[in-house]
Each structure stands twice: as structure tokens, then as C-alpha cells.
Amino acid sequence: MDQSVAIQETLERDENCIIAVQCDVLFDDITESRLLGLVESTKEHAIFIYTHRRMAITADDVSLEDILPISLEFSVVEVSSPEELAVVGGDTRVRVSYQEEELELRLPFGSHSRLFLGEVNRAWSDVCKSPTQQPKFEWISKYRKATKGQGVVKQTLTPLSNTITKLNQHRKTEKSSDKKGNIERDKSSNSTAQKSKAYSSPESQGISSREDRDDLVRSSSHTPSNKAQMLVMPQFGLRDNLIKCELLKNEDLYTYLEDFSIFLGTYNVNGQAPKESLRPWLSCTPSPPDIYCVGFQELDLSKEAFFFNDTPKELEWTKAVSEALHPEAKYALVKLVRLVGIMLIFYVKKEHAEFISDMEAETVGTGIMGRMGNKGAVAIRFRFHNSDVCVVNSHLAAHIEEYERRNQDYRDICSRLQFRQLDPTQPPLTIMKHDVVFWIGDLNYRISDLEVDNVKELISKKDFETLHNYDQLKRQIDEEAVFVGFVEGEIDFQPTYKYDTGSDMWDTSEKCRVPAWCDRILWRGKNIKQQHYRSHMALKTSDHKPVSSVLITGIKRVNADDYKKTFEEIVRNIDKMENECIPSVTLSKQEFHFKDVKFMQHQAETLSLFNDGQVPCQFEFIQKPNEPTYCKPWLTANPPKGFIAQGGTVDIDLEVFVNRSTAPDLNSGKEQIEDILVLHLERGKDYFISVAGNYMPSCYGTSIRSLCHLKEPIQDMPQETLQELAEMSGDEDAAKAVNTEKTEKPLDIPKELWMMVDHLFRNAIKQEDIFQQPGLRSEFAEIRDCLDTGMPDSLPGSNHSVAEALLLFLDALPEPVVPYSFYQQCLESCSNASLCEKVISLLPQCHQNVFNYLAAFLRELLKNSASNRLDVNILATIFASLLLRSPTKQDLAEKRKTQEFFQHFLTPGSS
């Protein structure tokens, strides 16, 4: 969440909080949380330090403590703790100094901290450009004197360095006796993972130039120890990109393989707290693994965790893991990443930590509407020596019949989970763009086409080979529907699901689930051998059993002498090539037509570039004059930039995808599927590529008022009619005038909305998990086409698909059911039921009708809560954000108020 909003509320009009970051201030053995804001006024910058609540939402949550002006007396350097191992995935320690005082901070790992430090660096660099024009910082004085009031801080401030003085009171008692020890520790820190001349003994170096400062503040970007890794850093240009490409092509000349053992573990803990030692699972190998990647699912099943992504279980299970790692080695925690109940923890032996670089972590939810994190994946990627490794921990859709939904979850994770690179100009990395991929988790594929008694009989005979033939995942892999190119070891252990909690007995509940191998470990890549693959029956905390696998993986390492020879030879060849000719390419075609483009239906065509010149070339799609990006928002070129070796070919996917933001103008005809892309060659010419197509108008992305005036399916209407309706949709008087002329009364509610709600009312009023389990993408396409064409009369697809289609319909409305102009009134009246009803009575009639119609339908659902497992909180959480969308970014407090507002209409007897 962006906490700069809370800081901005404490500032006066002329000051602006550019960026904020939460951090820890280190007072010897004491750690206190603070919020830092980089504040700008009249081209002067200062860091404001706030005490704060756990998550700062408004000015009431923060209290200004200190201000650090960014002047020539200011500096910030990264430091390595002598007691702790510096690991790439770990948090970043920096030492901030102003005048004679110092403050040590720990910033959280990730791109946001890198961005914050980059902005601080930019502000400091601006000061260095004009050392004779010292900033006066007169605007800061009012914050030191001000008391609580409008637009200023809440307390009278003591002179600068409250917090800094507190830190130095601890330090000064040690300096005289420990000065020699500090020097020794500074020397030792030079040999850690993040060594470079910029970081060596930062305390004694000072800041001698802008270039030194740039290096020092590039804190969260790992500085690698070999040249091959250095070439990916953003400060290197075209020439070095050429060298990098040639180095990658000739990697076999200077690298060799070394085997490392990687422990992969997965455990669905069913919302339980750790009740027993995890050593039988995590320390099951005779020798300690080099790397641990431990994944959990269903860490917390509470509604709070589901909707607010907050759980105390994270700390409990992390502690249980750290205590259960192999006792014969020492490990460093590199990274922890979590999405609701899906968590992945990455440990490495301490002696290997310095060889971990380019660390990133990402998450993707595949729950309802592709947003909820109850299902989805978390992943980490890193570079180990010279190999790129990706680890994915996923929890896919449940229930035996939903294997197609699981397949879709897998495809969504592969397409949507992307890692930002250290060089922001480079396109993100997908899962498959790694040398090695490990995929673990509760994949939820079941055993089908066998009765439960037959399954248990095969298990009792330990005939796992026969049983595996009925495994859905094996069948889907054999059909190449999922996990193409992945390998899974032989399964010679009994299914890991489902047991009675606390025992080894199969499920004795009323549902009597069929045993299944839900929990799986797969891999993709070369030079991988599985040492073991097994379950761990000794652990009884959950209704699942944990699974582990140890994979001996060949990792590429660099031979320094061979690297030097290869590097020098490449440089000589490039020097020769650069003088020969200008780059050029041949395009497969320059005109592309996309036929029948539909809402949320992906289309792609391939543009092939062949380098027919004498030298490698670099290409990029560039912006046209007066346009913010290189293409229209419904179009993407993937990749938008890249490099082509001499005689090489690159395929670029031109992808068209219309979503809620682009659909309204396309529906009305204000925009067309038309664009011109400009492909630019570095040191070469520009090529112009025409993209055109026809868009099929849809009820998705069309306003409520326009739909109420359409008696026929939208695709049967002339384009002129749709444009006329769109133009008058914001003018109620114009709409009434049109109605008078045509003497046709508009529909009370859109017929498309009625078709979906009526279908659900007739077929899904008692459906378990309705509005909580996603449908199939293919079925949504059929439902959309049915609504837009009027054929057939009844909606196709499952109830879950129709429910999701309804939510997507509401989400795509250009103006929400409660128009933006009424949003603030809703927040102000949320605690009073009668005021809430009054606000709804003021809505335009068609919006009022839709709101009341949906509320009545949801009340009917609640009458059947015993069957569908819905309650007021769940429905308010799902529907409030769709019906009462914020015109700006919605914070947590507003979200809760909209839910409270909507809950008044879900209680029995409400209108």
C-alpha cells in the first residue's frame, strides 16, 4: 500500500511527498519501525522521519519525529553488518549521516526500496551540481515549531536529530574502546557478497564525486562479482549488450558444471498452527542440502487472511522451519514471499550466499476474477553462480471435477507471473525464461475414474504404478495440456490427501474424499537428477502429508581464465564488425489485421524480424509525437525492444486485448482498432507497421443507461445508435428528450444483467461456494457472446462461470452502479441505514433499479446460506467494491466503509 498519502496529508500545499518507504531504525539491540518520506519544496529535498501505526493510511496514523535536509552535509551509504551475512534477498542496511550524526536503517528487500534510494540519490546529485548555491531549507522551520493543526504535524518538534541523537548515545559509549574493532570489521565486510569498490569501507571513504555517490546509493541492486553478470546492469549500453549476447552464445567455452543439492518441500497445512517438529520432513537427508525451498499452502483459512492478506501464522511456520533445517549446516534466510495462505521460504548454506544475485519475488492470484489470493502462486527467481533459477509454489483449484480449471490456473500463472529485472529498460522475465524451473505445491489434481474402495485397495497393495495411471496430472501432462517440458520423478509413496487431522486414517467425514496425490514436485531444465521423492507420514498436523524431493542440479560456474580469453576475442570481433556497415532487418510483413476482436479475448499475430545486415542490431518500438506510449492501450508488442544477432531472427507477438478501460470507447465507436507502430533500429532506420481490425461491440464496457435503451442485442445495433447513446449517457435531460421523441420507455434494468441474475436465481441459489470459486475462461467467452448476440436464449456454462461473468460485467461498467459523484455521500452515510437508503433514492433511475435488483437477489442468496456457505461479510466484500468504485485509489478505510454501506441492504427487511 502507498503510505505516501498519509505523509502528504501532514504537509502544506507547497510541499510534495515524492515517495515513502517503511523501514526499521537500528538502536544496537533495539529495533523500532519508522516511515520515511522524501519531501520536495521549491526544488529542495528533505527526508521526513515519522513514527507510525502498523500501516499508515491517514495523517492520524503518523507523527513527525525528525527531518534530514538533503544538502552537501548529507550522505547515505550501504553497510554490511559484521554479525550478519549479507544476502541478496535480504533487507538492505543503509547508514544515513547529516553533519556529525549518523542513523542506521534497514529497508525491506524489493524494487520499492531501490526506487526510494534512487530518488534520494537523484536529489543529492542535484545538490552536487551547484555546490555554490546552498539550499536554505527555510520551509522546514514551520514543521519544527508547528503544533497540531490543519495540514501540519501533530506535535511540537525538538531540534533536528531526535532519533539520530538516540542512536549516537548508544554508539559514543563504544567508540573509544571499539574503534580498532570497527576497522577490522570494515575490512572483513569487503569480502561479502555485495563487495565492490563503491562499498569498500564506506564509513571512511566519504563522497568524492557524483559518480561515487551514484554507486553508493545503488544499494539494493546487487553488484556481481564477475563480468558476465555486470553486463546486465543498466549503466551498460549497446556495445556491452553485444558483448553480453556473444558471451551467452559462447557460454560453454568458459563455464563448467558443478553439482549442488536442492531440497524442495511442499505442505498444505489446512490453516493449522505448527504442533510438532518439522525435522522428520526437513532434515530427512543424511547430508545437509545446499539450498532449501519450502512451500506452504492454506497457511491461514480465516476470512481476515483471505480478504486482507494478514496472518500471524507466517511467523509461526517460519520459526518452525528455521528450527528444523539440517543441524549439520548453517543457513541464511534469503527470501520469504507470501500471498494469503501460499508461502515460499528460500534458505541457502551461508558459504553459498555470496553467489546468489539478481533476486526477485512475485505473486499472482487466480481466485475469483483472477484477483483473490486464495488460489494462485508465489515465486522467486535468482542467479546462482551463472545459472538462472526459478521456484514456483502454487495452490490450484480444488474439487475432483475441476481439472480444466486447474489447467487454466497453470496457464494463468505462467502468463501473468513476471519478474522485474534490475535494468528497468529490460522486459520482465517469465517463468520459462530460466535455466532451471522448480514447481511445487498443492496442485490439487485428483485420482478419477476409480471408486474410493478400489483406490484404497491399490494403496494397500502398494500398487502405485497402476494407481498413477488414473492420476489427473499424469493424464494432463501426457496430453500436453499442462507442464509441457516438466519432469516428475517416480511416485512410490501413498497419496498425501486426505487424512483425518492428527492421524494416518483416510478421510472418515461424510464426504469421504478419494485419496489423491495433490501435493507434487516437478522440474524443468538440464543436468538435474532426483535423489529422492517421498512423503512424510510422521507429520499429522494437517489433512495433507508433506512431500519432499532432493534434486542434484548442475549449476554453471565461470572459469576466470577461460572467461578472459573469450571476452577479449569477442571484443576484437565486435571492434571489427562495428566498422563494416549499418544494421538492417527484413520484416515478415508490415500490415496486420485482427478480425472480430472481442472483450477480454486475447488475439496475437507474429511479426518476424530477420537481421539481414552485417552486424548485430538493437531494435525498439518508439513513441510517436504527442503520444504517451508506443502503442494504443489495447495493443502490446512483446518484446517491445531487443537484440538480434547477425543472421538471427526474433519473433515479436503483436497482442490485442480489450479490457474494462479500453472497451467503452471501442463499444461506442469513438475509438477503432487502428494504430501505427514505429520500429526503430539503433543507428539504423525506422519501419512503420500498420495494425487494424474490427471490434465486436459488447455489453461489457457499455453504460447502464445505454443498455437500458437497447431492446435488441448490442451487436445487432448500428454503430451510429451506439455512439448516440454513449454521448447522451452522461446527460439525463438529453436522454429524456430522446425517449420523448422515440416514445419508447427504456428497460428498467439491462436485459443482459437480468439474464445472468435470473439464471443464477433459478439454478445457483443453493450452489456451494457461488461467487467464491472462479469459472472457466472458455465458458465466459460463450456467455459473453450469448449476451451480445441474443443467441441462445439460455446461458451456457457452469453456475460458477455465470457468476464470474456477472462480476466482470459490473467491474467493466464505465460508470459504476453507484455513480462516482455519489461515492463520498456513501462513505459519509455508511453508519446510518436510513441515510444509506436516501443516497440510493437519489441515484439516476436506471442505476437505482440495478442496485435494488442486485441487493434483492443477494438477500435471496443469504436465505440459502446453509447450502451456499455465503454470509453478509463475504457478499459485502465482493460486491461493495464493484458497485461503489472509488473515483481515485481506494484506501483500506474507504474499503471498509463501502462494505459497511452495502451491508445495510443485505439484511432482511431492507428495501
Side-chain angles (χ1 to χ4, degrees), residues 212-225:
D212 290 339
R213 173 66 185 165
D214 288 347
D215 285 339
L216 288 169
V217 180
R218 197 179 292 112
S219 61
S220 191
S221 299
H222 176 73
T223 303
S225 57

Side-chain angles (χ1 to χ4, degrees), residues 180 242 332 476 503 681 908:
K180 183 177 180 181
L242 302 180
Q476 294 303 301
S503 75
L681 293 188

Side-chain angles (χ1 to χ4, degrees), residues 766-801:
K766 296 183 180 181
Q767 175 77 54
E768 184 178 351
D769 291 335
I770 194 70
F771 290 115
Q772 297 181 82
Q773 181 175 320
L776 288 172
R777 194 70 49 81
S778 59
E779 292 181 349
F780 165 73
E782 294 175 3
I783 294 166
R784 176 204 59 217
D785 291 348
C786 176
L787 296 174
D788 291 341
T789 62
M791 296 293 292
D793 294 332
S794 60
L795 295 179
S798 69
N799 292 334
H800 292 300
S801 295

Side-chain angles (χ1 to χ4, degrees), residues 19 65 125 133 247 288 329 447 498 534 601 697 702 849 861:
I19 187 172
E65 185 176 55
S125 298
Q133 300 177 2
L247 282 170
I447 292 172
K498 175 182 176 151
R534 54 175 292 200
Q601 181 167 299
T702 301
N849 293 344
L861 283 177

Side-chain angles (χ1 to χ4, degrees), residues 851-874:
F851 185 94
N852 291 329
Y853 180 65
L854 288 170
F857 167 61
L858 297 180
R859 289 196 294 272
E860 291 298 317
L861 283 177
L862 289 174
K863 291 178 184 178
N864 294 273
S865 59
S867 301
N868 57 37
R869 302 202 305 178
L870 291 172
D871 60 33
V872 170
N873 289 331
I874 292 175

Side-chain angles (χ1 to χ4, degrees), residues 286-555:
S287 56
D290 295 299
I291 289 175
Y292 274 99
C293 293
V294 183
F296 293 95
Q297 306 84 39
E298 294 192 358
L299 204 72
D300 192 332
L301 297 178
S302 66
K303 290 175 183 174
E304 290 77 14
F306 182 84
F307 292 115
F308 298 107
N309 194 19
D310 189 22
T311 174
K313 299 285 180 62
E314 176 182 308
L315 182 60
E316 296 173 10
W317 280 102
T318 303
K319 184 173 182 288
V321 170
S322 64
E323 292 172 350
L325 299 179
H326 206 291
E328 295 179 17
K330 291 185 178 180
Y331 291 93
L333 173 60
V334 182
K335 186 60 187 163
L336 180 151
V337 57
R338 184 175 62 81
L339 173 68
V340 188
I342 311 169
M343 183 167 76
L344 179 61
I345 314 177
F346 173 33
Y347 287 90
V348 64
K349 274 186 179 178
K350 287 196 171 185
E351 58 264 34
H352 299 320
E354 65 177 298
F355 303 108
I356 300 286
S357 64
D358 297 2
M359 177 78 212
E360 287 294 339
E362 290 295 343
T363 68
V364 60
T366 59
I368 187 72
M369 295 179 68
R371 297 179 185 177
M372 296 298 188
N374 59 319
K375 295 294 188 290
V378 298
I380 57 172
R381 65 93 48 201
F382 58 93
R383 191 172 181 86
F384 186 33
H385 289 288
N386 232 52
S387 291
D388 291 314
V389 181
C390 178
V391 185
V392 183
N393 174 28
S394 67
H395 191 189
L396 308 186
H399 306 304
I400 190 168
E401 69 279 1
E402 295 290 345
Y403 67 90
E404 287 187 3
R405 177 66 213 184
R406 289 187 273 280
N407 294 352
Q408 181 173 305
D409 284 349
Y410 166 80
R411 291 190 291 269
D412 286 348
I413 291 166
C414 289
S415 63
R416 291 170 49 203
L417 203 151
Q418 298 182 333
F419 300 96
R420 291 182 292 272
Q421 299 200 61
L422 291 178
D423 179 357
T425 65
Q426 294 297 312
L429 290 173
T430 59
I431 293 172
M432 302 307 171
K433 289 183 179 178
H434 291 81
D435 299 316
V436 177
V437 180
F438 301 118
W439 197 302
I440 66 176
D442 180 359
L443 307 187
N444 251 324
Y445 287 92
R446 307 302 175 89
I447 292 172
S448 55
D449 300 331
L450 270 183
E451 295 296 328
V452 63
D453 291 337
N454 294 336
V455 172
K456 291 179 179 178
E457 182 181 356
L458 288 171
I459 294 171
S460 66
K461 296 177 180 178
K462 295 191 175 182
D463 189 357
F464 301 129
E465 184 177 354
T466 300
L467 187 61
H468 194 212
N469 290 326
Y470 294 90
D471 174 68
Q472 290 178 341
L473 179 56
K474 181 181 185 302
R475 290 178 172 180
Q476 294 303 301
I477 290 175
D478 290 345
E479 295 174 11
E480 296 189 346
V482 289
F483 291 102
V484 176
F486 280 83
V487 178
E488 183 180 23
E490 180 184 353
I491 297 179
D492 57 2
F493 52 89
Q494 70 183 49
T496 54
Y497 173 85
K498 175 182 176 151
Y499 297 86
D500 288 340
T501 302
S503 75
D504 292 333
M505 295 179 59
W506 296 115
D507 181 22
T508 58
S509 69
E510 183 181 346
K511 293 183 179 178
C512 191
R513 302 282 193 193
V514 178
W517 286 295
C518 290
D519 311 283
R520 310 292 273 270
I521 296 173
L522 302 94
W523 72 87
R524 172 189 172 108
K526 298 178 181 178
N527 307 306
I528 301 174
K529 295 173 290 186
Q530 190 170 63
Q531 198 172 69
H532 86 234
Y533 188 23
R534 54 175 292 200
S535 64
H536 299 268
M537 300 295 292
L539 273 67
K540 298 178 172 60
T541 298
S542 172
D543 56 354
H544 288 247
K545 299 296 182 184
V547 173
S548 70
S549 174
V550 173
L551 297 174
I552 307 301
T553 305
I555 297 295

